[in-house]
Amino acid sequence: MAKLLKMGPSPHVRTSETVEKVMYDVIIALLPALLMAVYVFGIQALTTTLIAVGTCMATEGIMQKIMGKDIDIKDGSAIITGILFAFVVPVTMAYWIVIVGSVISILLGKMLFGGLGHNIFNPALVGRAFVQASWPVAITTFVLDGQAGPTMLDAMKRGLDGTLVAAGNPYVNALLGKMGGTIGETSAIALLLGGAYLIYKGQVNWKVPAIIIGTVGIGAFLFGGDPIMHMLSGGLFLGAFFMATDMVTSPYTEKGQMIFAFGIGALVTLIRFKGGYPEGMAYSILIMNGVVPLINKYTKPKMFGGVAK
């Protein structure tokens, strides 16, 4: 008997790519930054990260149960949200605030939109914004080697002394991550290594982080700042490689992604030089997340065979 050939509606795309493969590639790419965080800030960085990951997985499982969905917390998405949330808070953050922020990340940032693939905003940054508004002192208290002080961006913006950077060449220390900041943002070289892995695996379009980082560098130069230090400091590399490239909350066309990336870089520059905050990466990504539907609308490719207007 001849085999029955079954065919579904077009488009016919075959790929071995799965959600789990993509998510676990991202988790692998985040490991160098986590290891550097433990080296610079100590075992508390790992403890905070594990608490955030565990809370995100538990919250997602509970919400899936409440919403009547199959419980699937092993696809890696909740793990990534937990790691990224831990990476955007300081190592001194109280564990109970980490738990609250992680719950908000999953609850408000993801599950209330319908779960994975339906959220508009980056879940980890939703949690970060909530904590920033609720406990502004806790999220802006940074330490290095047991000493508290201003971050490099804060010191440059306000002309402060006693910057949290290890002794020696400040550019080299900023590249390595031997400076104050949130848990996962300080080591540019570790984040670059993870980003290179994602580019090699085809999970990230290299043009997105390149445009964001390049726009901030050029913007800092035009505003009279230090372009190199502005590119190496703060959450620029973390956001450019691991948040702005999120497949769910970024445009789906390459042209749209370029506009999205430039918008983030321009907003970061404006916030750092003309706004009240010394950083600005988190809010820039959240703002551009909200613009994604509009970008998609005007960069949508013309339908094949459609009549040109």
Side-chain angles (χ1 to χ4, degrees):
M1 180 182 294
K3 291 184 177 178
L4 181 64
L5 176 63
K6 294 182 178 179
M7 181 178 292
S10 62
H12 305 289
V13 179
R14 297 188 62 179
T15 176
S16 60
E17 201 79 332
T18 63
V19 171
E20 287 77 9
K21 275 190 175 181
V22 175
M23 297 298 172
Y24 283 98
D25 273 343
V26 177
I27 292 169
I28 291 170
L30 287 166
L31 291 179
L34 178 59
L35 293 174
M36 279 303 299
V38 174
Y39 171 71
V40 174
F41 298 116
I43 196 65
Q44 196 172 349
L46 179 62
T47 306
T48 300
T49 304
L50 291 176
I51 289 173
V53 169
T55 304
C56 284
M57 294 180 72
T59 304
E60 183 158 311
I62 292 169
M63 287 303 299
Q64 287 172 341
K65 179 71 174 176
I66 293 173
M67 295 167 72
K69 297 187 173 189
D70 293 335
I71 297 179
D72 183 14
I73 58 174
K74 296 181 180 177
D75 62 9
S77 64
I79 298 174
I80 292 175
T81 300
I83 295 174
L84 290 178
F85 177 74
F87 275 19
V88 295
V89 299
V91 73
T92 53
M93 179 71 73
Y95 292 148
W96 69 269
I97 299 180
V98 174
I99 292 172
V100 172
S102 301
V103 170
I104 294 296
S105 295
I106 294 295
L107 186 63
L108 295 185
K110 185 176 178 183
M111 298 309 293
L112 288 187
F113 288 96
L116 180 63
H118 299 282
N119 52 296
I120 299 173
F121 302 100
N122 184 289
L125 292 182
V126 171
R128 153 88 193 202
F130 179 86
V131 172
Q132 178 94 43
S134 304
W135 301 282
V137 175
I139 205 167
T140 53
T141 301
F142 302 104
V143 298
L144 181 68
D145 296 330
Q147 299 294 319
T151 62
M152 175 60 76
L153 288 176
D154 200 16
M156 288 194 295
K157 186 175 184 67
R158 306 178 199 281
L160 303 175
D161 297 323
T163 307
L164 288 174
V165 179
N169 188 307
Y171 296 99
V172 173
N173 286 326
L175 183 67
L176 296 176
K178 297 169 73 173
M179 63 191 303
T182 64
I183 288 176
E185 72 178 16
T186 59
S187 179
I189 191 70
L191 293 165
L192 186 60
L193 185 63
Y197 173 77
L198 290 180
I199 293 170
Y200 169 72
K201 297 292 285 186
Q203 310 295 9
V204 163
N205 183 344
W206 66 269
K207 296 177 184 175
V208 173
I211 290 175
I212 293 173
I213 296 168
T215 301
V216 172
I218 293 170
F221 174 77
L222 294 176
F223 278 106
D226 183 335
I228 304 298
M229 194 55 80
H230 269 278
M231 288 191 289
L232 295 178
S233 304
L236 189 63
F237 273 61
L238 177 63
F241 281 104
F242 294 97
M243 295 175 176
T245 55
D246 177 20
M247 295 177 183
V248 176
T249 57
S250 61
Y252 56 74
T253 66
E254 181 166 287
K255 183 179 179 182
Q257 291 170 3
M258 302 305 102
I259 296 170
F260 179 75
F262 175 76
I264 292 173
L267 285 172
V268 170
T269 304
L270 288 174
I271 291 173
R272 287 186 179 183
F273 286 93
K274 298 297 180 182
Y277 286 109
E279 173 51 281
M281 191 62 183
Y283 287 115
S284 299
I285 294 175
L286 287 173
I287 290 170
M288 290 307 296
N289 283 159
V291 184
V292 166
L294 194 63
I295 296 175
N296 281 337
K297 178 180 178 181
Y298 288 104
T299 59
K300 183 170 58 177
K302 195 179 299 297
M303 186 181 297
F304 182 73
V307 178
K309 295 181 180 178

